[in-house]
Amino acid sequence: MNAVEAAGMAELEGLEFGKSDFVLLDEVTMEQFMENLKLRFEKGRIYTYIGEVVVSVNPYRQMDIYGKDAIDAYRGRELYENPPHLYAVSDAAYKAMKRRAKDTCIVISGESGAGKTEASKYIMQYIAAITNPSQRAEVESVKNVLLKSNCVLEAFGNAKTNRNDNSSRFGKYMDINFNFNGDPTGGHINNYLLEKSRVVQQQEGERNFHSFYQLLRGGSEETLKSFHLENDPALYTYTREGAAAATSNNDRSSHKAVMSALEVIGFSKEEVTSVYQILAAILLLGNVEFGSEGESVQILGQDPVNHISELTATDPDSVTKALLFRTVATGGGEVIEKGHTEKDACFGRDAFAKALYERLFGWIVSRINGIIEVKNYNPVLHGKNTVIGVLDIYGFEIFDNNSFEQFCINYCNEKLQQLFIELILQQEQEEYQREGITWQHIDYFNNQIIVDLVEQQHKGIISILDEACLTVGKVTDTVCLDSMDTKLAQHPHYTSRKLSPTDKSMDFQKHFRIRHYAGDVTYSVEGFLDKNKDLLFQDFKRLMYNSANPVLKEMWPDGQLSITEVTKRPLTAATLFKNSIVALVDKLACKEPYYVRCIKPNEMKSPVLFDDARCQHQVAYLGLLENVMVRRAGFAYRQQYARFLQRYKMTCEYTWPNHLMPTDREAVEAIITQHGFQGDVAYGQTKLFVRTPRTLFTLEQERAALIPILVLFLQKVWRGALARLRCRRMRAIYTIMGCYKRYKVKAHFWEVERRFASVRTMPDYGKSVEWPAPPAALAQFHSITTMLHRRWWARQIVKNIPPSEMLEVRAKVAALTSLSGERKDWGVGRAWERDYLSNARDCPQTSSAFIRVSKELKNKDGHGQVVFSGFCRKVNRFNKSSDRALLVTDKYVYKLEPKKQYKVLKRLPLDAFTGLSVTSGADQMVALHTSSQDDVLLCLQQGDLCPNQDRVGELVGALVDHFTRIRKALLPVKVCRSALQLHMRGKPKNVTVESKPGQNVADFKKSRDGFILLVPEK
């Protein structure tokens, strides 16, 4: 973390939330540190930085800062761009791994209940969320196994303690392997020092491991019955203490989640069954009781033994024998069976139960490792394989009664603290050397002396314990304590009551004290040797190795040794733990470390209570204050010149908005000189180093004052730029639109010209040519053009018509216009004779008589031409119908009697007619409307020329053409779809048309409101 980054975070959160980086404290004192930590906790800010170290305070409540939106906010961002968060350090570790192909690790530490397990889960979830954007199936599978493994390991490795409902009772280090794309390809889990003593004994108010209660409360009735169990934990010695303990965990739902996780990870049904059979066997083992009968010891009740043998697939007699006897090989190779005392039998039973659970847990971890390990990896084909390690390990434990487990855990923390200090100092020193800055020596507590006190060969406490365990004869914990007092009397960090007789806080022959870097811890030596020996009789190992269950057999490979076979003495528990921690430290030392330091705010699990003394103690033993001092020693803040310049260039007139100097370094010097900070900085090769936070805050305050002004200025410039951009864009749009419109118009003209270029030579003069669709601007022009073309086409057609046929053509055009397409057949396809009565072909018998009468009428009335003539059926004023002849001339309309030599029955002036009505059907009915409302109703009849001619259209066309062309007047024509309306002697009449079977010729029939025209049925 550097000056700019820290200031950026301070600006993001505001001073009311305290300082987001402890490095920014005005003075590095415990008081200021605690005051800032408490303020941020009370304000809901549970994360704070010390450089790149995250200090996390357990909030004891759900917080809405871990969803998809938060992940997106921190993805790919720098530490200083957002408020402190686990996601920020996770992303930093991932970026370092991906960008620089550098192995990284995240070390999570803190005491039980400080939130280490939750922190590791959030880190895993974040890494899973930001990887594999292409959703490759094999990568998703690895991610699912890595995430689900947490659920399984929690069930079998966590328990409720008085401090924490979900306390990890083992240390866990997980390596996640990534390919060159940054996608997870596998992983490996190491577990450290499982608290197996919890299997057989728990403190008051605490529970055994979750897995037991999940099985008993979450297992189906059928499953429990097959395991010879009942769903009450109080029935079993090993779970009785925790049966009534209140916990926030739901064992039933947790059991379902674990079963699902085991399936997702890849455990077979047989393996899952075997796992829970072993748990059931451990529970039943705790209920095995022994009784003495004389010198022999017996098992009280055979049922538990039978059930255990069934669950472990072993022989009941072998189980009984292993519980009651110990097989011993004498020096001469003879094998004898030595009976246990009741105390030894109880010890052996409990040791067996602890070993069973420890082997089960180790097998589960190795099984998960076998599934998630990187397979078929070839560096040449797949590129460099990088790793992110996540270490979730116990912090210092200082209880009222500290035993062997606390001794190992605190030794582990000493090793990790040593690595922590060394790596930080080493990184600082390397950076100062790279930048050419003189390194200032930092005085800090080097806890190597404490590490040596514990682990040094031949002199350390572990060596003394091992020596005591190897000594032949009865060696007690007290004898071992005397040996430590003798060998370590001069060590400044070791004491006991014997060495400090006046210190009454320790008891003689019981306690010794180590002055750890985090504080003094008094250990009770009782049980040290037994726990270090970790004794388990060989009989139990052979019993399990000979099990018919392959899973159980796999867990006990050392059971195959013969009782007479000479083997090396097994390493003690302390030595094994020391070796694993040394290997862990070596593994972490070769990675780039990131740290999460977890703090427990109170013992009440309250989201509002902040116990100052409790937290101050944790701050002390986690070495957080020392960490701040190391960061601030010398030049605590550093930043690359370009980035420093980018942030603060507005505070100097020579660098805003851009400088003209040869290098960024000279521009930064100008900023520093203008503010008078020359004595508080140093210039490296690529970075500026700032000594105190006051310099940084002064720059930040000036920058904060200038930002609103710059923002307004930038808004003004940007708005103007946007407006000009929009204006130019609109102009460009209109220019393009104008050009496009012109193009479309021209293209339309060109297309019309192309299509109609040769219409003059076409047979139909272009009638069949399809017009191109016009652009919107030419819609009106298009309609005018098409009309002009139709007129031209019509003119070309008319030009070719002989003058003798023009009268007929005009009449047909008039009929077409008047009937408006509403009458289907109106005779357009035949020649129109007009004067049918004088046509010898149509009226061969009466045509000569009509010609004579027609000449007489012409001479008498002076009409010029015959417009239409023909036979018809007419209704008279007495509502009677009769056959008549119709003669229409250019002056009069005559009704003639054909049977009396075409005698004129009635003559009406043509001017008296105001319109015509016809039907839309095939009938020949016509109504001639007059101005006197005494209309003429008739039905035209065919002659001999063609029996089925439609003459209605011809009559309509002849009259309309005559009125339009000669009289210059309109003659309205109405086409009726239903009844035809007219007036006779002023009275309205309706005429309908009906077909009648047997009707030979059309005829009128009177109806209630007029007439019916009866026509022959087709």
Side-chain angles (χ1 to χ4, degrees), residues 465 468-469 473-483 509 525-530 533:
L465 285 173
C469 292
K474 191 68 174 176
V475 179
T476 63
D477 295 322
T478 305
V479 173
C480 182
L481 179 60
D482 288 338
S483 178
Q509 298 186 338
V525 80
E526 291 178 353
F528 257 60
L529 290 182
D530 285 341
K533 288 177 183 175

Side-chain angles (χ1 to χ4, degrees), residues 26-234:
D26 293 331
E27 295 179 29
V28 185
T29 63
M30 181 61 79
E31 290 73 22
Q32 281 210 11
F33 190 100
M34 295 304 300
E35 183 182 328
N36 190 59
L37 187 69
K38 183 176 182 179
L39 174 62
R40 289 184 64 77
F41 174 75
E42 290 172 347
K43 294 287 186 179
R45 298 302 193 266
I46 62 171
Y47 298 120
T48 313
Y49 288 134
I50 303 176
E52 291 179 347
V53 175
V54 177
V55 178
S56 168
V57 183
N58 192 340
Y60 285 120
R61 60 189 169 97
Q62 293 294 323
M63 300 193 71
D64 188 22
I65 56 173
Y66 302 107
K68 182 179 183 300
D69 292 341
I71 289 172
D72 292 338
Y74 283 87
R75 184 200 304 261
R77 310 302 290 270
E78 299 297 333
L79 275 171
Y80 61 88
E81 293 187 66
N82 285 307
H85 201 292
L86 280 174
Y87 290 167
V89 76
S90 306
D91 198 79
Y94 180 74
K95 286 203 298 281
M97 178 275 300
K98 188 174 180 182
R99 291 177 182 173
R100 306 198 301 270
K102 176 81 174 173
D103 288 348
T104 60
C105 64
I106 302 172
V107 180
I108 308 169
S109 58
E111 71 173 48
S112 179
K116 300 186 299 298
T117 300
E118 289 301 308
S120 69
K121 286 197 284 190
Y122 286 131
I123 288 169
M124 293 289 293
Q125 287 170 3
Y126 180 81
I127 292 172
I130 64 171
T131 53
N132 194 29
S134 58
Q135 296 292 305
R136 286 172 50 212
E138 62 270 25
V139 178
E140 283 300 300
S141 174
V142 170
K143 282 164 53 175
N144 285 335
V145 172
L146 290 171
L147 291 175
K148 293 295 183 182
S149 65
N150 276 329
C151 175
V152 175
L153 294 178
E154 275 188 30
F156 288 89
N158 289 23
K160 179 199 182 307
T161 66
N162 290 321
R163 293 185 166 195
N164 183 3
D165 283 358
N166 187 33
S167 176
S168 296
R169 306 317 300 160
F170 71 106
K172 180 181 72 176
Y173 176 74
M174 177 183 285
D175 266 336
I176 309 170
N177 298 86
F178 295 84
N179 61 16
F180 69 98
N181 283 330
D183 291 330
T185 57
H188 186 85
I189 299 169
N190 291 96
N191 64 295
Y192 301 96
L193 197 65
L194 177 73
E195 188 191 27
K196 61 182 178 181
S197 60
R198 180 170 293 272
V199 173
V200 299
Q201 186 178 9
Q202 307 92 42
Q203 294 185 35
E204 185 179 348
E206 297 192 349
R207 300 206 314 174
N208 208 323
F209 291 100
H210 293 325
S211 54
F212 292 109
Y213 302 95
Q214 290 173 4
L215 171 61
L216 292 174
R217 289 177 174 152
S220 66
E221 188 176 337
E222 181 184 350
T223 301
L224 292 177
K225 188 175 180 182
S226 68
F227 292 164
H228 307 290
L229 297 175
E230 296 182 42
N231 62 359
D232 183 5

Side-chain angles (χ1 to χ4, degrees), residues 459-507:
K459 296 180 182 179
I461 293 174
I462 291 177
S463 292
I464 295 171
L465 285 173
D466 288 355
E467 187 179 329
C469 292
L470 294 173
T471 303
V472 178
K474 191 68 174 176
V475 179
T476 63
D477 295 322
T478 305
V479 173
C480 182
L481 179 60
D482 288 338
S483 178
M484 287 195 292
D485 289 343
T486 303
K487 295 183 177 181
L488 302 173
Q490 303 303 315
H491 200 287
H493 289 269
Y494 175 87
T495 187
S496 67
R497 183 66 186 273
K498 181 179 178 181
L499 299 177
S500 303
T502 58
D503 188 349
K504 295 183 179 180
S505 62
M506 294 184 289
D507 293 339

Side-chain angles (χ1 to χ4, degrees), residues 318-464:
S318 299
V319 175
T320 303
K321 187 177 176 182
L323 288 169
L324 296 178
F325 297 93
R326 179 185 178 190
T327 307
V328 180
T330 64
E334 186 181 351
V335 176
I336 61 172
E337 288 182 352
K338 181 182 178 183
H340 287 316
T341 63
E342 189 174 337
K343 182 181 177 182
D344 287 344
C346 290
F347 173 84
R349 175 201 62 200
D350 290 345
F352 182 35
K354 291 188 289 184
L356 267 175
Y357 196 81
E358 183 183 38
R359 299 281 180 117
L360 172 63
F361 186 75
W363 178 83
I364 290 172
V365 172
S366 64
R367 183 76 179 84
I368 294 172
N369 284 337
I371 292 168
I372 63 175
E373 70 177 354
V374 180
K375 301 174 180 68
N376 303 321
Y377 174 69
N378 185 336
V380 177
L381 295 176
H382 304 125
K384 180 172 168 52
N385 187 352
T386 47
V387 169
I388 293 180
V390 180
L391 177 65
D392 172 10
I393 199 110
Y394 12 64
F396 269 96
E397 293 190 351
I398 307 176
F399 300 146
D400 294 334
N401 181 29
N402 301 292
S403 187
F404 181 76
E405 289 84 2
Q406 283 68 48
F407 171 76
C408 292
I409 286 170
N410 293 344
Y411 159 66
C412 169
N413 275 271
E414 289 286 356
K415 291 287 287 184
L416 292 175
Q417 178 66 13
Q418 181 191 28
L419 177 71
F420 179 63
I421 295 293
E422 280 183 358
L423 286 177
I424 286 179
L425 292 174
Q426 181 182 341
Q427 287 174 354
E428 295 282 301
Q429 189 166 356
E430 285 177 357
E431 182 163 26
Y432 283 174
Q433 288 173 348
R434 274 199 313 271
E435 295 292 326
I437 304 294
T438 304
W439 169 251
Q440 177 184 346
H441 178 72
I442 301 167
D443 290 325
Y444 67 96
F445 173 64
N446 188 342
N447 65 337
Q448 182 65 47
I449 188 171
I450 303 174
V451 173
D452 290 342
L453 169 65
V454 176
E455 71 175 17
Q456 192 173 16
Q457 290 286 343
H458 310 300
K459 296 180 182 179
I461 293 174
I462 291 177
S463 292
I464 295 171

Side-chain angles (χ1 to χ4, degrees), residues 16-31:
E16 69 271 19
F17 298 112
K19 293 182 170 63
S20 55
D21 192 334
F22 287 110
V23 177
L24 299 176
L25 293 174
D26 293 331
E27 295 179 29
V28 185
T29 63
M30 181 61 79
E31 290 73 22

Side-chain angles (χ1 to χ4, degrees), residues 521-580:
V521 182
T522 302
Y523 298 98
S524 170
V525 80
E526 291 178 353
F528 257 60
L529 290 182
D530 285 341
K531 290 177 181 178
N532 190 37
K533 288 177 183 175
D534 196 20
L535 182 63
L536 179 67
F537 300 135
Q538 278 291 120
D539 302 75
F540 291 118
K541 297 178 182 178
R542 284 192 291 275
L543 176 68
M544 292 296 96
Y545 180 75
N546 292 318
S547 167
N549 185 334
V551 174
L552 200 53
K553 186 182 180 77
E554 185 184 342
M555 295 179 193
W556 297 83
D558 46 349
Q560 63 183 315
L561 297 175
S562 169
I563 188 63
T564 58
E565 192 171 339
V566 178
T567 60
K568 286 184 179 180
R569 183 180 291 273
L571 296 176
T572 62
T575 300
L576 286 171
F577 183 69
K578 180 190 77 171
N579 293 344
S580 65

